[in-house]
Amino acid sequence: MTWVLVALGGAVGSTIGALLLRRPSSALLVTATAVVCGLAGMMSAQHVSSRVTAVVGYGVLGSAASMVAFALAAPMWVGGDVPVRSTVSAAKKVGMYCAVGVTFALLGYLAVRGGTTLYRKLT
């Protein structure tokens, strides 16, 4: 049953990713990466049912993250230094998106954990 829920969430996430990334720009890709990773961080800090985690955490967010990864594919160049330029370009893009992803995943996690801790201390 869990795999069916993950598949349904993946279909929803792929649809959302395809709609958002019809005309990818750098700002849109960075924003989509930040939102997906922030929500994934929030999901990891939240104790919800395994069914909700399967649909939203693994299904929707996992497939939306893969849509962002596909949009990162660099165009091919023609020339003698193609492997070097392609590798450097891909490394720069992946490094930037990884930094954004890790930062927003941490912020999402800390927002939930900090909010929960504050709520417990105040009540």
Side-chain angles (χ1 to χ4, degrees), residues 49-100:
S49 73
S50 61
R51 290 181 176 173
V52 172
T53 302
V55 172
V56 177
Y58 299 120
V60 174
L61 296 177
S63 61
S66 66
M67 292 300 291
V68 172
F70 279 121
L72 291 176
M76 296 188 59
W77 293 293
V78 176
D81 59 343
V82 172
V84 174
R85 286 180 30 192
S86 296
T87 304
V88 170
S89 175
K92 286 180 185 177
K93 286 181 181 182
V94 168
M96 182 191 65
Y97 286 101
C98 284
V100 168

Side-chain angles (χ1 to χ4, degrees), residues 23-32 93 96-97:
R23 294 186 188 124
S25 67
S26 295
L28 183 62
L29 291 175
V30 170
T31 304
K93 286 181 181 182
M96 182 191 65
Y97 286 101

Side-chain angles (χ1 to χ4, degrees), residues 29-56:
L29 291 175
V30 170
T31 304
T33 302
V35 168
V36 167
C37 291
L39 290 173
M42 291 174 76
M43 284 293 297
S44 69
Q46 194 70 301
H47 297 289
V48 294
S49 73
S50 61
R51 290 181 176 173
V52 172
T53 302
V55 172
V56 177

